[in-house]
């Protein structure tokens, strides 16, 4: 008869055998994976990218390098150029004021406001873009004008647009702060003085439009709050009652059509 010690010894041997088989299987799988990875690595070609500074006997190579650096710099500053030298600033601020006046919290969302402002900016700046394409881009691509001439021709429509929307008071402020001699005409005003003057003029215009938008909705809030107070319903938030009335008023007067058309006309006729 088998004793308990013999059973324990048999169980231990069986366990050791299973562990040994498990280790053998694991080692086999590791070998297979290693061989497969080497085979894949042998078939796959890894690209190599190298950057360096070497001697060049051709000045044209340096010119191409400087043009590439300039292009990358312009692409980096493109968002700032879009915001500070176009109609984008006024549009996005007015739409933000409108959302706050309606009291709709995050509706429309920031992405919708930014997207609408961006496409309206493209629509408003289309004549300027066409002039730049006609007088600067196409002649430069056809090698009819130099790079400096193309840059000057491209800046001329943009400067004209900004001068049209900039207040003389704001422009005089930055001209005086530059501590340079008084320019005889607009052509002598530096772009570094024109851009900040244009920005603060756009901010002032946007805040004025925002104030005008706030007035009718503020009147609705005051009327609703007075009615609730006279009825003794002080615990009921007035915003819950006034919001449907403000939305109804905005929809009935076709608010989006009026605001967008007024904003576009403020640039085309301003």
């Amino acid at each position: 008869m088998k004793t308990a010690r013999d059973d324990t010894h048999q169980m231990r041997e069986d366990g050791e055998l299973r562990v040994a088989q498990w280790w053998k299987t694991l080692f086999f799988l590791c070998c297979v994976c290693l061989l497969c990875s080497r085979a894949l690595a042998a078939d796959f070609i890894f690209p190599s990218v190298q950057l360096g500074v070497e001697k060049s006997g051709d000045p044209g190579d340096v010119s191409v390098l400087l043009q590439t650096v300039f292009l990358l710099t312009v692409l980096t500053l493109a968002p700032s150029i879009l915001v500070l030298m176009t109609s984008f600033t006024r549009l996005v601020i007015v739409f933000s004021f409108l959302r706050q006046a309606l009291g709709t919290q995050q509706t429309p969302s920031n992405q919708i406001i930014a997207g609408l402002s961006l496409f309206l900016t493209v629509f408003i700046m289309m004549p300027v873009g066409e002039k730049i394409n006609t007088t600067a881009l196409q002649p430069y691509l056809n090698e009819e004008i130099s790079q400096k001439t193309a840059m000057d021709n491209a800046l001329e429509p943009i400067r004209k647009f900004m001068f049209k929307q900039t207040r003389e008071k704001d422009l005089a402020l930055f001209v005086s702060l530059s501590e340079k001699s008084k320019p005889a005409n607009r052509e002598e005003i530096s772009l570094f003085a024109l851009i900040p003057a244009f920005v603060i003029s756009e901010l002032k215009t946007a805040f004025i439009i925002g104030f005008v938008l706030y007035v009718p909705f503020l009147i609705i809030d005051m009327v609703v709050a007075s009615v609730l107070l006279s009825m003794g319903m002080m615990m009921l938030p007035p915003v819950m009652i006034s919001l449907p009335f403000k939305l109804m008023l905005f929809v009935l007067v076709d608010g989006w059509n009026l605001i967008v058309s007024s904003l576009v006309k403020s640039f085309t006729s301003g």
Side-chain angles (χ1 to χ4, degrees):
M1 297 180 62
K2 293 183 179 181
T3 61
R5 182 178 299 177
D6 296 335
D7 295 338
T8 303
H9 182 70
Q10 184 66 31
M11 294 176 60
R12 185 179 300 172
E13 290 180 353
D14 294 340
E16 291 176 356
L17 181 61
R18 286 195 297 268
V19 171
Q21 292 177 352
W22 184 83
W23 278 109
K24 290 180 181 180
T25 305
L26 181 61
F27 178 74
F28 175 76
L29 293 176
C30 291
C31 292
V32 172
C33 293
L34 182 61
L35 292 175
C36 293
S37 62
R38 288 184 177 179
L40 292 175
D43 296 335
F44 184 75
I45 299 176
F46 293 94
S48 177
V49 179
Q50 297 180 357
L51 296 175
V53 179
E54 299 178 355
K55 294 182 179 180
S56 176
D58 186 7
D61 296 338
V62 181
S63 176
V64 172
L65 176 61
L66 293 177
Q67 291 178 4
T68 304
V69 173
F70 176 76
L71 178 61
L72 293 176
T73 304
V74 171
L75 292 177
T76 304
L77 298 177
S80 300
I81 296 175
L82 173 65
V83 171
L84 299 180
M85 299 177 64
T86 63
S87 59
F88 183 84
T89 302
R90 184 189 303 186
L91 295 172
V92 73
I93 292 178
V94 169
F95 290 143
S96 299
F97 272 121
L98 175 62
R99 182 176 64 182
Q100 295 178 9
L102 286 172
T104 54
Q105 302 301 324
Q106 295 298 321
T107 304
S109 62
N110 294 331
Q111 290 82 358
I112 295 177
I113 290 179
L116 179 60
S117 302
L118 180 62
F119 279 98
L120 285 176
T121 300
V122 174
F123 179 79
I124 294 172
M125 302 298 294
M126 188 67 69
V128 178
E130 292 177 352
K131 291 181 180 178
I132 294 175
N133 182 61
T134 304
T135 61
L137 182 59
Q138 293 301 326
Y140 178 72
L141 294 178
N142 296 330
E143 299 182 355
E144 298 175 359
I145 58 177
S146 62
Q147 184 176 359
K148 184 179 182 303
T149 306
M151 184 64 66
D152 295 337
N153 293 343
L155 289 177
E156 183 179 355
I158 299 177
R159 287 172 59 91
K160 184 177 180 181
F161 171 80
M162 289 193 292
F163 273 121
K164 194 175 182 180
Q165 306 298 329
T166 305
R167 293 178 174 83
E168 294 184 0
K169 181 180 179 181
D170 299 329
L171 191 59
L173 170 64
F174 286 97
V175 170
S176 62
L177 291 177
S178 63
E179 297 181 354
K180 295 182 180 180
S181 57
K182 186 177 179 180
N185 47 43
R186 289 186 171 184
E187 285 72 17
E188 297 182 1
I189 297 178
S190 172
L191 193 64
F192 297 100
L194 176 59
I195 292 177
F198 170 76
V199 172
I200 63 174
S201 295
E202 287 294 285
L203 290 175
K204 181 177 180 180
T205 303
F207 274 68
I208 292 174
I209 298 175
F211 170 76
V212 174
L213 288 176
Y214 250 102
V215 172
F217 301 113
L218 182 61
I219 293 175
I220 294 177
D221 288 332
M222 294 176 62
V223 171
V224 171
S226 301
V227 172
L228 293 178
L229 184 62
S230 63
M231 297 175 61
M233 305 174 66
M234 294 178 293
M235 300 301 295
L236 182 63
V239 179
M240 292 182 59
I241 307 300
S242 62
L243 179 58
F245 289 99
K246 290 191 289 186
L247 292 177
M248 181 179 65
L249 173 65
F250 190 72
V251 171
L252 289 177
V253 300
D254 200 1
W256 288 111
N257 186 290
L258 290 175
I259 292 175
V260 171
S261 62
S262 300
L263 287 173
V264 173
K265 291 178 182 178
S266 67
F267 287 101
T268 56
S269 61

